[in-house]
Amino acid sequence: MTDVARTTATILRLGHQGDGVAHGPLYAPRCLPDEQVSGVQEGTQLTDIRIETPSEHRIAAPCRHYKSCGGCQLQHASDDFVASWKLGIVEKALQAQGLETRFRPIHTSPAQSRRRATLAVRRTKKGAMAGFHGRASGVITPIPDCQLLDPDLIVAIPLAEALAMAGASRKTPLSVTLTTSETGLDVLVRDGKPLDSALRSALAELAGQHGVARLTWEDEQVAMEQPPLQAFGAARVCTPAGSFLQATRDGEAALLAGVLEITKGAKRIVDFFAGCGTFSLPLAANAEVLALESEPAMIEALENGWRQARGLKKITAEVRDLFRNPLLPEDLKPFGAFYEAAVIDPPRAGAETQVAQLAETRMPVIAYVSCNPVTFARDAKTLVSAGYRLNWVQVVDQFRWSAHTEVVASFTLDD
């Protein structure tokens, strides 16, 4: 048999997905800058990689599943290297827009703190298997000692496997989303068999056996021992199944601390892309809030949480698609007095149209939370061009060991 020719390369940098990039470009997963590597070239990908000369930043992965699991991308790199790289991603995105600012120290969530995970669960000849898919693979890797997830999620893996035994087909794996809450586990299952009376009965029994707060099958709630509650300031909110939630409590607290600092002293605040009230409800401890969100179920959850909480100021919640129908300067008039601050936390696409309108309102203070440095930098350029000062940025790494980066940033209007 003829040996497959191997290619040698020097890793120049990391790409935005965390892969090493050599000349070509040639992409080499789980490699670091300045490493000498060899592998089999398949198009622009390097496979069967050997590290010939390791980087000084290379470490032994803390999780024994890392080699086969696709859940993490950067466990082979030191914490200091990852922190510096993530800060650099945001800094370069701003520089591409001609912007500079002061960076606060990065905040990184600890290991075993992810409060939500979506597991792939497949029936097997001997039972079931739950875990994460391997990198670019349909193979499921079991993760009993995962160093990323909250231990309460690890304990629930047998439940995920039991759900597959009850309601998965042999051909298609279940997608089981597990979320921790103050009252127990919130479970959402997709890609399962259609519900019938026998399956409903089996699912309800499993939920009871495993102490599940709520079990949702596709879009139908099949069991709820008690509402799965999330704490947003003084309020407790039963979030809709599968709705947006910050990845870790620790990361959420870091983002919230930045938002509260930026908007301190404001008595009337607009919260764009408010979700279920992650920022609106804590802000309402000291300010009246106008909360805008496109999903009616999330607005309903926010309002219910506000009504049941004590000591909060007024929240006016409105269902509004801010992409198709951005809030205009004149739209604030029906809500009364002048708003003193805005919070905006858009999805990865950013909020180009809404930010342009927000700049025209001459809002004195803006707290911008972003999960995409590129669209954040684009929107920041719009605000700076309109007369705003970008005072500081803090990177919040709540997606530990991944290429994902989040920021909270302070803008004030220069008069």
Side-chain angles (χ1 to χ4, degrees), residues 273-399:
F273 305 96
C276 295
T278 303
F279 302 126
S280 292
L281 289 161
L283 287 168
N286 296 299
E288 292 186 9
V289 179
L290 169 60
L292 305 167
E293 167 58 47
S294 64
E295 295 294 331
M298 297 176 79
I299 284 291
E300 182 180 359
L302 187 161
E303 290 181 315
N304 288 338
W306 172 66
R307 290 192 191 97
Q308 294 169 19
R310 294 183 178 180
L312 298 184
K313 296 186 181 298
K314 182 181 179 181
I315 293 182
T316 301
E318 179 182 320
V319 176
R320 187 169 184 136
D321 185 335
L322 295 169
F323 290 103
R324 297 182 178 182
N325 186 23
L327 193 75
L328 305 178
E330 55 266 31
D331 291 330
L332 289 175
K333 294 178 182 177
F335 295 97
F338 183 67
Y339 279 80
E340 301 163 306
V343 177
I344 185 164
D345 180 16
R348 290 189 60 79
E352 187 172 17
T353 303
Q354 182 59 77
V355 165
Q357 294 298 328
L358 183 58
E360 289 192 18
T361 69
R362 315 305 290 166
M363 188 74 66
V365 173
I366 299 173
Y368 196 125
V369 178
S370 173
C371 59
N372 185 338
V374 173
T375 57
F376 162 70
R378 179 202 66 200
D379 292 348
K381 175 67 172 179
T382 298
L383 291 173
V384 171
S385 298
Y388 284 84
R389 179 187 299 274
L390 175 53
N391 300 301
W392 53 261
V393 168
Q394 182 174 27
V395 175
V396 176
D397 183 10
Q398 60 175 324
F399 289 88

Side-chain angles (χ1 to χ4, degrees), residues 201-224:
S201 177
L203 295 175
E205 184 175 352
L206 284 173
Q209 290 173 351
H210 290 267
V212 171
R214 178 175 62 186
L215 174 59
T216 305
W217 194 267
E218 300 295 347
D219 296 319
E220 184 173 339
Q221 180 180 298
V222 295
M224 186 159 71

